[in-house]
Amino acid sequence: MDLQTTETVKGGGEGEERGRKRRPEEEEDKEETSSNRKQVADHSVKVASHYNRLQEVGLAARSQSRIFFMRNFNNWLKSVLIGEILEQVRGAGSRQVSVLDLGCGKGGDLLKWRRGGINHLVCADIAGVSVEQCQSRYEDMKRKSHVNEKIFSAQFITADCSKEVLSEKLDDPKLMFDICSCQFVYHYSFESEEKANVMLRNACERLKPGGYFIGTTPDAFELVKRLEASDSLSFGNEVFKVSFQSKGSYPMFGCQYHFSLEGVVDVPEFLVYFPLLEHMAKRYNMRLVLKQRFSEFSEEKVKKEHHRSLMMKMMALEPFPCEDGGRQATDIKGEYCHAKEHCGSAGVKLPLGTLSRSEWEATSIYLVFVFQKMS
Ligand code: SAM
């Protein structure tokens, strides 16, 4: 596929090649591209200020959230991914493990890195307030740790990682990473080819040979499939909503939709056409080793006892039927039909629990990916 001339994805089904060359009469599109570029700064600012505004809430308030279990489920899935990749890195003989958390947010993954016993972490995010909170969470963690526990060293960088080159900002200019983790972030960069390239450069250029670029992002095929099935320009339910501006034609870069999720996210995002990302990653000698929808990934991982017990510990699924005197996350009719079917008429308790239909519909738009640097 020629990325210089291929600009548009048409239709909605999976697996089809949809790239096509731009015809001369489509020169207008170029103009549109340059006016899109003018909006680039606006979108970054919107994203940064949205995440900066998000308040950190304590466990008590979090547990009241309608999507408490879904957020725990997503967190469990990230823990499993991070844990398995760290195992691979250690298995390959790496002793001093360095990680880049690209789009670290408020530091939601700090504990995962601590549990994984890494040696150094670089956290970068466009939202300055989030980076500050991430840093103070880290310092708190260090202060409260056991005297014998050696907590990883860390650097915190506020930067638009789709515009600025991170390697120029590293305290140690020679630092190479074993892992770059980019959780729920990469789709913001697909606003333009330039941005997607810079983000990818930041993710991959300082990886050691054999190092990994891992992440989670919405699956463009799934989003387009749901949009095409909808009789309007949006789809969703009581916990999330995705709205497009049009349908039928999907540019490879800058294909914007608006995503809102129950008090957590309310921002413009961009479709990541995965075969294109895979192609772009080859420039950095990256080979795709895993791409799985959340449903496939979790079904496979839950077969292992230690992942199952972590799932219980992290309350990644909602007990069903709920415990004595308790209530399910929602009373809305039909939200637990799937769970009831599994329980049967005797109402047997589900061993691992479940998610409400709306939460499952929201989390199942995502996929997990793992790239590895070949040399
Ligand atoms: N990775 C964290 C996690 O999993 O908890 C945060 C995920 S949050 C959904 C998305 C994050 O991406 C936000 O913190 C946002 O500021 C960051 N982000 C979006 N665009 C970015 C960019 N261009 N450069 C750096 N960070 C960006």
Side-chain angles (χ1 to χ4, degrees):
M1 186 177 9
D2 178 358
L3 299 182
Q4 302 309 311
T5 50
T6 307
E7 299 246 305
T8 310
V9 189
K10 279 243 175 209
E14 187 155 4
E16 239 176 89
E17 175 55 274
R18 279 176 211 89
R20 66 183 172 83
K21 294 201 169 175
R22 187 163 51 209
R23 296 188 304 271
E25 64 269 29
E26 289 175 305
E27 284 307 290
E28 277 172 26
D29 288 353
K30 267 201 200 154
E31 302 237 347
E32 217 180 286
T33 308
S34 67
S35 72
N36 281 348
R37 261 185 219 124
K38 274 187 224 137
Q39 294 172 23
V40 164
D42 294 347
H43 281 128
S44 305
V45 170
K46 252 187 234 167
V47 170
S49 60
H50 167 77
Y51 282 104
N52 275 332
R53 270 197 315 271
L54 272 189
Q55 300 290 323
E56 260 200 299
V57 293
L59 182 64
R62 252 199 334 270
S63 66
Q64 297 306 308
S65 159
R66 166 69 181 89
I67 54 166
F68 174 69
F69 292 104
M70 186 193 110
R71 293 183 76 184
N72 292 348
F73 177 81
N74 290 349
N75 234 333
W76 167 77
L77 195 138
K78 284 195 290 177
S79 299
V80 170
L81 174 64
I82 285 171
E84 290 209 337
I85 291 300
L86 280 169
E87 258 175 44
Q88 299 280 331
V89 165
R90 293 242 157 68
S94 219
R95 279 169 209 265
Q96 290 291 310
V97 178
S98 295
V99 173
L100 169 63
D101 192 337
L102 192 60
C104 60
K106 298 180 194 310
D109 292 339
L110 285 173
L111 280 176
K112 301 176 186 70
W113 301 122
R114 178 190 189 172
R115 216 179 291 132
I118 66 162
N119 304 86
H120 187 66
L121 179 69
V122 174
C123 288
D125 200 286
I126 192 173
V129 176
S130 298
V131 176
E132 276 169 27
Q133 288 176 0
C134 180
Q135 182 161 6
S136 59
R137 230 163 142 172
Y138 163 76
E139 272 150 18
D140 229 42
M141 184 171 98
K142 238 168 73 167
R143 217 177 15 253
K144 290 178 184 158
S145 67
H146 194 272
V147 271
N148 294 328
E149 184 185 2
K150 178 142 175 37
I151 301 275
F152 54 85
S153 53
Q155 183 188 353
F156 299 86
I157 303 172
T158 298
D160 182 341
C161 304
S162 61
K163 282 190 191 156
E164 297 163 73
V165 176
L166 285 179
S167 56
E168 292 163 5
K169 297 174 188 287
L170 295 175
D171 288 342
D172 172 4
K174 293 206 185 82
L175 183 64
M176 298 290 282
F177 298 105
D178 296 274
I179 301 170
C180 168
S181 172
C182 188
Q183 305 297 341
F184 301 106
V185 179
Y186 197 74
H187 42 289
Y188 295 108
S189 76
F190 252 66
E191 184 171 0
S192 69
E193 187 169 355
E194 294 93 317
K195 283 185 149 205
N197 272 329
V198 174
M199 188 72 107
L200 192 60
R201 176 177 171 187
N202 283 326
C204 304
E205 76 170 344
R206 312 271 328 165
L207 282 178
K208 296 176 188 169
Y212 293 93
F213 169 36
I214 62 173
T216 41
T217 195
D219 178 359
F221 287 118
E222 186 60 27
L223 292 179
V224 170
K225 192 171 88 186
R226 293 192 198 188
L227 173 67
E228 296 278 343
S230 152
D231 51 16
S232 70
L233 290 177
S234 58
F235 59 87
N237 55 42
E238 57 153 340
V239 305
F240 85 112
K241 188 173 177 191
V242 173
S243 307
F244 281 78
Q245 287 149 352
S246 63
K247 60 179 170 181
S249 175
Y250 306 95
M252 288 208 175
F253 295 100
C255 189
Q256 190 187 329
Y257 58 92
H258 192 91
F259 182 66
S260 55
L261 174 71
E262 179 78 11
V264 192
V265 188
D266 192 13
V267 274
E269 298 188 351
F270 301 90
L271 285 187
V272 177
Y273 180 49
F274 210 88
L276 177 54
L277 173 59
E278 201 181 334
H279 182 91
M280 288 161 65
K282 287 188 183 143
R283 273 182 224 154
Y284 296 94
N285 228 350
M286 303 297 295
R287 180 178 64 104
L288 182 67
V289 290
L290 179 119
K291 177 178 109 37
Q292 269 183 333
R293 302 271 308 281
F294 270 26
S295 49
E296 298 164 322
F297 185 82
S298 57
E299 269 164 35
E300 190 185 307
K301 300 306 170 195
V302 91
K303 289 180 190 147
K304 291 193 180 158
E305 170 52 33
H306 64 291
H307 293 327
R308 262 203 312 275
S309 65
L310 184 65
M311 182 173 236
M312 301 304 276
K313 213 165 120 192
M314 293 179 77
M315 292 194 273
L317 294 174
E318 181 179 6
F320 189 89
C322 54
E323 266 113 40
D324 285 347
R327 293 172 68 179
Q328 301 296 159
T330 176
D331 297 330
I332 293 180
K333 205 165 169 266
E335 285 282 325
Y336 295 95
C337 284
H338 55 293
K340 278 185 194 143
E341 260 172 44
H342 279 280
C343 291
S345 50
V348 181
K349 196 172 163 66
L350 291 182
L352 291 173
T354 189
L355 285 180
S356 65
R357 184 186 52 80
S358 293
E359 286 169 287
W360 189 247
E361 275 176 18
T363 198
S364 58
I365 63 175
Y366 291 96
L367 58 79
V368 178
F369 64 82
V370 177
F371 287 93
Q372 187 175 25
K373 191 158 209 162
M374 298 323 292
S375 56

